[in-house]
């Protein structure tokens, strides 16, 4: 059986359908039309003489043999990307394309401080940014789709190498007319647990809140869940409840700051450690370490960003 007609792009189409379980969403992710993607999948199935997917009215199912082929395709694509990593490793430091993922509760608040200084330091760097949930981004690093990610530690899922950056405390955010808005600092016992708004499943901040209030927090209230930090901030401003907010999100001037109050939590244990993560065998480790050093120096220089002491 010849595989001469099979390309890496075809394998990427196969992986996209397996990930999204939808031809429409997979086509959007691959920036092609749905008929084009469907035709390529049919070509793959005919070439391999295997039905990889079952087309059902409510979505797509992966067949048992299709699952084996998807796993192998993931390895092939990852190794092909590694060839480009090896080629890029001999170039000048942080030159060319670097694909960086950032978790969604960090990206909008940290990235604006980094882009201009990084461009000044590394003018040949083409930084491609992706934002998403921790598990999805970690999987993309493992599969070679991203070079590294900025996320909270410890990282669930894949065994990635961690380069610590800084510790960021959380504060309690309450409506301006809340009784706690009149105090300078709160303790763990002061947290109004029944009023807490959580981020939806998959956000690290949700896990931090559950860990901080493990015996008192009820999580079966979907009306007190938010899809993003900005939605959460708006819910607090509307008087729906209270929540936790990372320091960077507080300091990057929100429009609703006149409607909410931020209060430091006295014991300092409600915090997250932010780190860079990459594959253990990543050939551009020099670039990752340079990026880490640059981020730490930029944060130290930028007076608007005040996070807790940098970790070793």
């Amino acid at each position: 059986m010849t595989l001469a007609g099979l390309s890496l792009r075809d394998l990427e189409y196969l992986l996209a359908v397996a990930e999204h379980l939808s031809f429409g969403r997979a086509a959007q992710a691959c920036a092609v039309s749905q008929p084009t993607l469907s035709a390529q999948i049919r070509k793959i199935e005919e070439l391999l003489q295997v039905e990889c997917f079952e087309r059902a009215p409510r979505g797509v199912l992966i067949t048992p043999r299709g699952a084996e082929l998807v796993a192998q395709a993931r390895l092939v694509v990852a190794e092909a990307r590694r060839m480009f990593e090896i080629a890029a490793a001999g170039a000048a430091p942080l030159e060319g394309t670097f694909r960086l993922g950032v978790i969604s509760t960090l990206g909008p608040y940290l990235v604006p401080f980094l882009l201009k200084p990084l461009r000044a330091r590394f003018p040949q760097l083409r930084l491609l940014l992706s934002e998403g949930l921790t598990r999805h981004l970690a999987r993309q690093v493992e599969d070679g789709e991203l070079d590294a990610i900025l996320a909270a530690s410890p990282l669930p899922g894949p065994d990635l190498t961690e380069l610590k950056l800084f510790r960021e405390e959380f504060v309690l955010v309450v409506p301006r007319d809340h009784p706690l808005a009149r105090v300078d600092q709160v303790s763990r016992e002061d947290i109004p647990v029944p009023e807490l708004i959580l981020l939806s499943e998959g956000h690290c901040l949700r896990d931090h809140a559950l860990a901080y209030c493990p015996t008192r927090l009820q999580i079966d209230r979907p009306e007190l869940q938010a899809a993003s930090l900005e939605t959460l901030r708006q819910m607090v401003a509307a008087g729906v409840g209270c929540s936790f907010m990372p320091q960077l999100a507080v300091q990057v001037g929100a429009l609703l700051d006149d409607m909410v109050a931020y209060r430091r939590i006295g014991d300092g244990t409600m915090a997250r450690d932010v780190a860079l993560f990459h594959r253990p065998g990543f050939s551009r480790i020099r670039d990752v370490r340079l990026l880490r050093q640059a981020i730490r120096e930029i944060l130290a220089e930028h007076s608007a960003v005040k996070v807790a002491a940098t970790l070793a």
Side-chain angles (χ1 to χ4, degrees):
M1 178 184 300
T2 177
L3 298 181
L6 197 61
S7 68
L8 285 174
R9 187 60 172 160
D10 290 334
L11 297 183
E12 290 174 342
Y13 291 152
L14 186 74
L15 294 178
V17 176
E19 177 183 352
H20 295 281
L21 294 179
S22 162
F23 281 88
R25 291 194 297 272
Q28 289 181 339
C30 295
V32 297
S33 67
Q34 184 171 334
T36 296
L37 182 134
S38 298
Q40 292 303 107
I41 294 297
R42 282 196 299 271
K43 184 191 81 171
I44 295 171
E45 292 178 323
E46 292 172 0
L47 185 61
L48 299 178
Q49 298 181 10
V50 173
E51 184 182 18
C52 299
F53 304 105
E54 292 182 15
R55 284 75 165 171
R58 295 186 177 181
V60 174
L61 300 175
I62 306 177
T63 66
R65 291 191 66 193
E68 295 180 22
L69 290 173
V70 166
Q72 189 61 39
R74 186 170 286 117
L75 293 175
V76 172
V77 172
E79 288 301 314
R81 286 177 175 145
R82 181 163 169 76
M83 289 180 61
F84 291 98
E85 292 174 6
I86 293 172
L94 275 178
E95 184 177 275
T97 300
F98 192 93
R99 301 160 301 171
L100 179 66
V102 190
I103 57 174
S104 55
T105 56
L106 183 63
Y109 314 105
L110 176 62
V111 169
F113 292 107
L114 301 180
L115 292 181
K116 188 174 180 179
L118 284 176
R119 187 179 299 116
R121 293 183 183 213
F122 307 104
Q124 302 304 315
L125 172 64
R126 181 170 177 255
L127 193 62
L128 298 184
L129 296 169
S130 297
E131 187 178 302
L133 298 180
T134 303
R135 288 187 182 274
H136 180 63
L137 294 176
R139 179 63 177 272
Q140 287 184 297
V141 173
E142 187 180 42
D143 292 345
E145 297 174 18
L146 292 174
D147 296 319
I149 58 170
L150 281 164
S153 176
L155 191 72
D159 184 18
L160 301 179
T161 299
E162 176 181 347
L163 301 175
K164 294 185 183 299
L165 281 169
F166 59 84
R167 173 163 291 169
E168 179 183 25
E169 289 187 14
F170 294 95
V171 299
L172 181 71
V173 53
V174 299
R176 278 288 179 186
D177 58 357
H178 195 280
L180 290 179
R182 296 190 290 271
V183 303
D184 294 329
Q185 182 172 292
V186 299
S187 67
R188 186 192 294 251
E189 290 70 30
D190 295 328
I191 304 296
V193 175
E195 304 174 40
L196 282 179
I197 305 170
L198 298 179
L199 285 179
S200 53
E201 196 75 37
H203 289 281
C204 67
L205 179 52
R206 176 188 179 89
D207 298 331
H208 283 291
L210 293 174
Y212 194 69
C213 307
T215 60
R216 299 185 294 155
L217 187 56
Q218 299 177 0
I219 60 174
D220 57 349
R221 298 168 300 167
E223 73 280 4
L224 291 183
Q225 294 187 23
S228 70
L229 278 180
E230 293 312 311
T231 300
L232 183 150
R233 198 189 322 244
Q234 292 174 28
M235 291 173 71
V236 174
V240 175
C242 308
S243 193
F244 299 111
M245 187 76 66
Q247 281 187 330
L248 282 170
V250 173
Q251 293 165 206
V252 178
L255 294 176
L256 296 174
D257 276 356
D258 60 340
M259 300 177 67
V260 298
Y262 306 101
R263 293 296 175 261
R264 187 176 184 275
I265 302 171
D267 59 11
T269 60
M270 183 58 177
R272 64 179 175 183
D273 295 330
V274 176
L276 266 172
F277 295 88
H278 63 86
R279 292 182 298 285
F282 188 42
S283 61
R284 297 179 67 184
I285 181 60
R286 175 187 60 169
D287 285 350
V288 181
R289 291 187 179 278
L290 279 173
L291 183 61
R292 176 209 195 192
Q293 178 182 346
I295 292 173
R296 296 174 88 170
E297 291 174 355
I298 291 167
L299 288 179
E301 294 168 359
H302 209 300
S303 60
V305 182
K306 296 180 176 65
V307 294
T310 304
L311 302 174

